Amino acid sequence: MGTVTTELHRFLTITGQRLKNGQSVPEMFSPAVDAAWHEMLGTPQYAALCQETVGRPIGHVAANGHGPIAWVSAYEEAYGPLPQIWFTDAGGNVDHDAIARYRSTGTVVAEWDCTPAGGDGDDVTSKESGTGRR
C-alpha cells in the first residue's frame, strides 16, 4: 500500500474503534487522504477495506467543521506521530506551519469538510455521495 492508502486504512481502523466505543466519527482533515478516499469510494477494493478495518460498510458525508482533531492521540498510540501526508493538500503541497504546530504542541487544529458515516441508512459507498476536496 502506498502512503496515502496506508493512512486511509489507519483512518478507517480508527473510525471502527470510535464507532465501537460509542465515540463520534473522526474528522477527515487531510485533503490528500480525502482525495484517495474519494477515488476508492464505490469500488470493490473499498468495500473490502471497510470490511477489513471496520467490519461493515463506511460511507462518506459532508460535515464542515473546524477545531481540535479528537482522534490524534488514538492514532499516535497505535501508529506513532502523524506523518506529513496528513498535512498535505490534494495537489501535494505540504503545510509546513501546521506540521510545526503539531510537532511543538502535540495537537492538531484544522478544518474539515467530511467525515465517515457508519450508521444505518447512510449512503455507504457511492462516489456521488461524497463531497469534499477534489
Side-chain angles (χ1 to χ4, degrees):
M1 284 190 287
T3 301
V4 176
T5 306
T6 298
E7 292 308 310
L8 181 59
H9 184 278
R10 291 174 175 180
F11 178 77
L12 291 174
T13 298
I14 289 170
T15 297
Q17 292 166 350
R18 291 182 67 86
L19 290 171
K20 182 180 177 184
N21 295 334
Q23 297 172 298
S24 62
V25 293
E27 308 87 353
M28 172 51 74
F29 72 92
S30 168
V33 179
D34 188 42
W37 194 7
H38 279 258
E39 290 301 315
M40 286 191 77
L41 286 169
T43 67
Q45 294 84 2
Y46 183 70
L49 180 62
C50 288
Q51 196 60 40
E52 176 188 344
T53 57
V54 185
R56 63 180 174 163
I58 291 295
H60 179 283
V61 296
N64 294 321
H66 178 271
I69 304 300
W71 55 268
V72 171
S73 61
Y75 181 101
E76 292 171 333
E77 288 174 24
Y79 310 110
L82 290 168
Q84 180 172 295
I85 195 70
W86 283 101
F87 304 94
T88 304
D89 70 18
N93 302 301
V94 177
D95 184 341
H96 293 284
D97 291 338
I99 292 172
R101 279 190 304 275
Y102 165 61
R103 289 183 180 154
S104 69
T105 66
T107 60
V108 175
V109 176
E111 293 181 10
W112 61 88
D113 63 10
C114 59
T115 65
D120 293 335
D122 291 325
D123 186 355
V124 292
T125 57
S126 167
K127 282 188 179 185
E128 289 75 32
S129 71
T131 61
R133 305 171 185 102
R134 281 197 68 124

